[in-house]
Amino acid sequence: MTDIRETAKRIAAQGSSTPVAARDPVNQAMINNWVEAIGDNNPVYTDPDFAAASIHGGVVAPPAMAQVWTMRGLHGKRNADDPLGAMLAALDKEGFTSVVGTNTEQTYHRYLRPGERVTASTKLRDINGPKETALGPGWFVTTVTTWSVGEEPVAEMVFRVLKFRPKSSARIIDAPEYAASVLRPVISRDTAFFWEGTKKGELRIQRWGDELRHPPGAVAPNGDLEATPDYIVARGTGTVYSFVVHHHPKVPGKKTPFVVALVELDEGVRVLGELINVAPEDVKIGGSVRAVFLRIDDDVTLPAWEVA
Amino acid sequence: MKTLTAAEISIGMELPELVVDATPTFIISTAIATRDFEDVHHDRDAAVARGTKDIFLNILTDNGLVQRYVTDWAGPEALVRSINIRLGVPCYANDTLTFSGRVAEETVVGRESRFVIEVRARDSLGDHITGTVQIAVPQGDGQ
């Protein structure tokens, strides 16, 4: 979390991005398309005679089109110094993978006229989080974009998005019938986060810097004794890397045969678990699976798999 | 086509309702007219694969619709000075947006007197847009 705040501080300190020029000057063709699609019949945008006699003295562009002129287009890419792109990428890395716009505040200093060419420059205003929202935990990211003609600012927009981790859609299945017989995992200081996660339907994978490690260990893979781990929440989807069908001996609380799968997560690490609700002959290496969680009792929830 | 004057506007006035059919053609044509090529606004299969039930209206169009709604009422020479909108539920294809509005306050910015119009657009899921639009209109009382 401190990383997110540090990243935001660094991005905000960079100030406004290099102005990006609109592909085209303000022009009648794009205005015509826009008013037709929106259904706006105001003649100051399209009728030269009406516009000339109006308060504007000539045709103007709809103010709400300010952002349209500098949209990146079908194959456009964000500039390298775009602060919104940088902040969203940083939050992606922390598992806040979904985004939704929440509000915009646009201020128009004046109307634009055909022939004028705008540039847009964006800065990160602030971030706010983590917050629990109806969509899942997330961060609000607020940017300010200024559109200018030459040096003159003509419009501004405060834009806020929620960058969130979608609520786990993993199924948590009550399985109290195993409570008496299940082999209970040893929960240590190094693995407690994992078992806290399964209770919430989250598959948490230990991370040392950029490297994921499962099962979690006490020391960084590179042996750095100063390093401390955190974790990501895996998407919970993967493929069967290998599996065994257990016929014998009997396992307390289980009907044989059952399948234990080694699943390769989309994130790249492998996790063991029972593959449930499938006949052993239907299991295939490479088959898609998703995580489910078997709630044994208040203390233990085991990860398992089912065919996706 | 007449523009309302300040003398003709009073706090609490209600704007006439506007109903907009959010057909797939409307959602796609407004997305493209606003140069917003995100697939969720024009490709139903892609939108469904991303977990939404259909294509949905984009934000730039919401700004345009709110602008249109207020100037349809206030007249062609009403000057739009700001649009603040908060997005609520999505507006999916084949839903209907119903706009309502009300004059909430009169305010002076610099030397310009403005009216703040509260606007709301509802669809079958709830409030799609809530927000405010500030406009400046001619005085109209001889000033």
Side-chain angles (χ1 to χ4, degrees), chain B residues 12-25:
Chain B
M13 273 176 94
E14 306 252 341
L15 278 62
E17 208 174 79
L18 169 70
V19 176
V20 174
D21 286 330
T23 61
T25 299

Side-chain angles (χ1 to χ4, degrees), chain A residues 206-284:
Chain A
Q206 191 184 48
R207 177 171 65 177
W208 298 87
D210 285 333
E211 195 167 346
L212 299 178
R213 179 173 194 178
H214 187 85
V219 180
N222 65 4
D224 178 0
L225 296 177
E226 303 298 314
T228 53
D230 59 359
Y231 64 83
I232 62 152
V233 177
R235 281 188 290 270
T237 47
T239 55
V240 175
Y241 182 79
S242 180
F243 68 98
V244 295
V245 180
H246 185 99
H247 296 274
H248 193 77
K250 283 188 175 167
V251 175
K254 292 240 169 258
K255 259 191 236 158
T256 54
F258 60 88
V259 180
V260 177
L262 180 61
V263 168
E264 183 156 281
L265 298 183
D266 294 344
E267 289 83 1
V269 295
R270 294 175 195 148
V271 181
L272 266 176
E274 186 178 349
L275 181 55
I276 63 171
N277 299 331
V278 67
E281 59 272 24
D282 292 339
V283 181
K284 287 188 182 60

Side-chain angles (χ1 to χ4, degrees), chain A residues 35-297:
Chain A
V35 299
E36 185 179 33
I38 300 281
D40 193 329
N41 297 317
N42 190 334
V44 298
Y45 309 136
T46 53
D47 180 338
D49 294 336
F50 185 97
S54 78
I55 190 168
H56 298 291
V59 165
V60 287
M65 277 187 83
Q67 189 180 0
V68 175
W69 307 112
T70 53
M71 290 292 280
R72 288 189 301 276
L74 180 55
H75 300 297
K77 291 197 170 44
R78 286 184 193 278
N79 276 28
D81 73 340
D82 179 78
L84 183 57
M87 197 63 233
L88 297 185
L91 285 162
D92 263 330
K93 274 182 74 178
E94 298 297 320
F96 300 96
T97 50
S98 295
V99 67
V100 60
T102 64
N103 52 308
T104 67
E105 299 165 16
Q106 296 196 344
T107 305
Y108 314 110
H109 302 310
R110 68 168 175 83
Y111 282 47
L112 288 162
R113 291 170 188 277
E116 291 189 303
R117 191 162 200 145
V118 294
T119 58
S121 175
T122 300
K123 63 185 174 191
L124 179 68
R125 190 167 85 179
D126 55 41
I127 61 163
N128 192 352
K131 298 261 188 201
E132 284 301 326
T133 76
L135 295 170
W139 294 74
F140 289 94
V141 178
T142 306
T143 53
V144 180
T145 298
T146 303
W147 286 277
S148 303
V149 174
E151 296 294 304
E152 180 198 5
V154 290
E156 257 132 26
M157 173 172 71
V158 177
F159 182 46
R160 192 165 297 118
V161 300
L162 170 63
K163 186 80 173 140
F164 64 101
R165 176 188 297 152
K167 277 191 173 163
S168 171
S169 57
R171 289 206 299 142
I172 300 179
I173 302 165
D174 278 313
E177 65 272 22
Y178 296 151
S181 57
V182 74
L183 291 171
R184 303 181 80 83
V186 176
I187 299 177
S188 69
R189 274 198 302 186
D190 297 324
T191 62
F193 76 96
F194 180 84
W195 299 107
E196 285 307 308
T198 58
K199 285 184 205 172
K200 296 179 175 176
E202 291 182 0
L203 197 57
R204 296 177 177 178
I205 305 297
Q206 191 184 48
R207 177 171 65 177
W208 298 87
D210 285 333
E211 195 167 346
L212 299 178
R213 179 173 194 178
H214 187 85
V219 180
N222 65 4
D224 178 0
L225 296 177
E226 303 298 314
T228 53
D230 59 359
Y231 64 83
I232 62 152
V233 177
R235 281 188 290 270
T237 47
T239 55
V240 175
Y241 182 79
S242 180
F243 68 98
V244 295
V245 180
H246 185 99
H247 296 274
H248 193 77
K250 283 188 175 167
V251 175
K254 292 240 169 258
K255 259 191 236 158
T256 54
F258 60 88
V259 180
V260 177
L262 180 61
V263 168
E264 183 156 281
L265 298 183
D266 294 344
E267 289 83 1
V269 295
R270 294 175 195 148
V271 181
L272 266 176
E274 186 178 349
L275 181 55
I276 63 171
N277 299 331
V278 67
E281 59 272 24
D282 292 339
V283 181
K284 287 188 182 60
I285 286 182
S288 295
V289 294
R290 63 170 164 259
V292 292
F293 297 88
L294 304 177
R295 185 176 6 235
I296 308 299
D297 55 29

Side-chain angles (χ1 to χ4, degrees), chain B residues 11-81:
Chain B
I11 308 298
M13 273 176 94
E14 306 252 341
L15 278 62
E17 208 174 79
L18 169 70
V19 176
V20 174
D21 286 330
T23 61
T25 299
F26 179 77
I27 289 175
I28 294 166
S29 58
T30 51
I32 303 310
T34 54
R35 299 192 69 225
D36 183 346
F37 296 90
E38 292 292 334
D39 54 19
V40 291
H41 304 310
H42 64 259
D43 182 334
R44 185 178 186 177
D45 290 346
V48 170
R50 288 179 190 278
T52 74
K53 72 168 195 179
D54 207 330
I55 57 169
F56 55 90
L57 210 58
N58 74 335
I59 303 175
L60 287 85
T61 299
D62 291 331
N63 270 311
L65 287 173
V66 166
Q67 173 196 278
R68 168 194 161 187
Y69 178 57
V70 170
T71 56
D72 276 0
W73 162 75
E77 294 181 82
L79 301 175
V80 177
R81 294 307 192 198

